[in-house]
Amino acid sequence: SRFHGDGTGRTGTDRVSKATGAGLGLRSGERWTMNNPEAVFTLLYIVLSFCFVFTPTEFRSAGLTVQDLLADQLGSEQLAFVHYHIRRTAATLVAHSLLPLGYYAGMCFASSDEKNYYFLVSWGWIIYLLIAVLTPAVVSLIVLYWSSKKWSNHPIARSLAYYALPQSSWRAVASSINIEFRRIDKFASGAPGARVIVTDTWVMKVTTYHVHVAQQQDIHLTLTESRQHELCPDLSTPVQFLTIQVGVINPRITPFDIRLNSTEYGELREKLHTTIRNAHNVVIHQSLSDMFLDTFKIQVELNQRYHLSGNQELESCIGCMQTAANIKLVKICMEPNDGECQQCYCRPMWCLTCMGKWFASRQDQQHPETWLSNRVPCPTCRSKFCILDISIVC
């Protein structure tokens, strides 16, 4: 459609240009053009500020994040998880509060001529400058208060203090979390701004300005929502994200939500000591490996059992080191000298879940219809076996 004049000699296009220019900090009568340095700088600064706060993958890869720029001052997350995030959240809050002041300073350089400079000292810009200066000043005072008493006033430290024993402090709880975080068997998922970490004792959600912490024995989990995202038109199935509400028995701890891919749901459940209630009957889409693992377990349950001798004891599974090894490979699919399968003489060293994951990992991922009928080598001695040769120890 066309813009028509309003009787004053101005067209609709002029009115739109004037309104757009006012929104970008342009003086009356100026139009938004790429030749205007203030408009170009404004758009560029908005985009960069947005990417700095909500860091995309490209910014993280380039190291343009607070934790990368201040890596030497923040320390190591792996060695001191709690103290690292206490310093990170404080530094992030200060850095983000400086963005409005950075915009005004950049506009002073972008407005190189004298007329533009006088425009920046108008009443509107003076009020903006006052707010831009007060914001980091107030934030700095808040961070200074947090850092008093060796960061005991920080929100993360105060939340950990609720889990401390009567004769202890939040530092003892932080030490326990640091130790469990260094273990390789923890569950970790999500982007840096919304990470979900589950250890043997704790459930944590790491956000930009805070770290939510809850003890597993004090929580109840509820699956509340499911959303599907078609990330690529070439994908045959959409990606499903699940939202789980973490309710805490302690009324002083704020409940929070965690969000993860549905393909990681099974791994999360294995790490949790409590069940996840599906109050809204959300349908969870399993990955191909998870569906195969369920079928694999059903098939192995139908196979012939292997009876241990009286003086033989089962050791822990060397794959997960969490459950007892309960699988023995015995060639029963065919006669001993027939077929491709071979007799395995290894003692029981693997559990059913780990053997199923090994079986799936050795398959052609492009042809899942052949997985159950294929043969794979023993993970220890490399003797070939099929699914019929897998016996549960009893």
Side-chain angles (χ1 to χ4, degrees):
S1 61
R2 294 178 175 267
F3 289 101
H4 299 282
D6 58 357
T8 63
R10 296 181 303 169
T11 64
T13 307
D14 293 331
R15 294 194 300 272
V16 172
S17 299
K18 184 177 180 181
T20 306
L24 293 174
L26 304 183
R27 297 189 304 277
S28 177
E30 286 187 337
R31 290 189 181 184
W32 189 95
T33 63
M34 293 304 294
N35 294 327
N36 188 288
E38 294 94 335
V40 174
F41 173 77
T42 297
L43 291 179
L44 182 63
Y45 196 84
I46 290 174
V47 172
L48 293 178
S49 298
F50 184 85
C51 293
F52 186 68
V53 175
F54 307 98
T55 52
T57 304
E58 293 76 13
F59 265 55
R60 291 196 295 269
S61 301
L64 298 178
T65 61
V66 174
Q67 49 266 40
D68 290 327
L69 297 174
L70 302 177
D72 295 336
Q73 290 74 27
L74 298 180
S76 172
E77 181 188 40
Q78 190 66 25
L79 297 178
F81 174 83
V82 174
H83 298 83
Y84 170 85
H85 283 286
I86 285 177
R87 292 188 289 264
R88 179 194 62 81
T89 52
T92 300
L93 191 61
V94 173
H96 290 175
S97 69
L98 291 171
L99 291 176
L101 185 59
Y103 173 69
Y104 184 87
M107 284 292 289
C108 291
F109 285 100
S111 304
S112 55
D113 58 77
E114 185 177 353
K115 293 181 179 180
N116 289 343
Y117 176 77
Y118 280 115
F119 171 64
L120 288 174
V121 295
S122 62
W123 278 109
W125 280 102
I126 290 177
I127 295 175
Y128 174 86
L129 177 61
L130 181 62
I131 296 174
V133 171
L134 287 178
T135 300
V138 173
V139 170
S140 298
L141 291 176
I142 294 175
V143 172
L144 183 63
Y145 168 73
W146 287 351
S147 64
S148 61
K149 299 180 182 178
K150 298 181 178 180
W151 296 101
S152 294
N153 293 322
H154 194 279
I156 297 177
R158 291 204 303 267
S159 63
L160 296 184
Y162 296 137
Y163 294 106
L165 297 176
Q167 303 300 326
S168 183
S169 68
W170 69 271
R171 292 182 178 84
V173 181
S175 178
S176 173
I177 294 176
N178 293 339
I179 293 173
E180 293 191 12
F181 181 79
R182 287 195 290 267
R183 297 174 183 170
I184 62 175
D185 61 342
K186 65 178 177 294
F187 172 84
S189 173
R195 290 173 63 199
V196 177
I197 301 171
V198 181
T199 65
D200 294 334
T201 310
W202 305 95
V203 175
M204 296 173 286
K205 178 184 178 182
V206 179
T207 63
T208 304
Y209 304 112
H210 190 59
V211 177
H212 299 274
V213 181
Q215 204 167 23
Q216 287 213 39
Q217 64 182 12
D218 294 336
I219 63 174
H220 49 85
L221 305 175
T222 305
L223 182 60
T224 59
E225 187 182 13
S226 169
R227 291 188 178 183
Q228 295 184 0
H229 299 274
E230 193 73 42
L231 297 181
C232 176
D234 298 332
L235 294 177
S236 57
T237 57
V239 177
Q240 183 186 34
F241 288 96
L242 305 176
T243 301
I244 301 175
Q245 184 183 58
V246 181
V248 186
I249 298 177
N250 191 335
R252 294 176 294 182
I253 303 296
T254 305
F256 56 94
D257 294 336
I258 59 177
R259 194 165 179 260
L260 73 159
N261 197 315
S262 62
T263 58
E264 300 171 320
Y265 183 72
E267 185 180 353
L268 173 66
R269 286 193 306 172
E270 292 179 1
K271 196 62 182 175
L272 293 170
H273 303 322
T274 183
T275 58
I276 302 177
R277 296 184 301 165
N278 193 347
H280 300 281
N281 295 322
V282 176
V283 178
I284 302 172
H285 298 169
Q286 291 182 301
S287 66
L288 184 61
S289 298
D290 290 336
M291 290 188 290
F292 171 78
L293 191 59
D294 291 340
T295 306
F296 178 88
K297 291 179 178 179
I298 294 174
Q299 179 60 50
V300 173
E301 290 283 349
L302 300 176
N303 292 347
Q304 179 179 323
R305 302 292 173 126
Y306 177 81
H307 298 272
L308 279 178
S309 58
N311 57 353
Q312 189 175 1
E313 295 182 359
L314 292 177
E315 300 177 355
S316 297
C317 170
I318 64 175
C320 62
M321 300 299 294
Q322 294 181 349
T323 59
N326 61 349
I327 292 298
K328 180 71 172 73
L329 299 180
V330 182
K331 183 179 179 181
I332 55 177
C333 61
M334 301 181 72
E335 295 297 326
N337 297 324
D338 296 339
E340 298 181 23
C341 294
Q342 303 168 332
Q343 180 60 45
C344 173
Y345 297 97
C346 300
R347 68 180 188 275
M349 302 173 64
W350 301 84
C351 67
L352 180 58
T353 300
C354 290
M355 183 61 73
K357 292 179 179 179
W358 166 263
F359 200 95
S361 67
R362 307 296 294 182
Q363 306 299 325
D364 184 356
Q365 303 300 313
Q366 302 300 323
H367 298 281
E369 68 277 2
T370 64
W371 287 12
L372 287 176
S373 60
N374 284 343
R375 294 168 176 82
V376 301
C378 168
T380 308
C381 69
R382 305 301 176 182
S383 300
K384 284 190 176 182
F385 68 95
C386 65
I387 195 171
L388 298 176
D389 299 330
I390 305 174
S391 299
I392 296 179
V393 176
C394 61

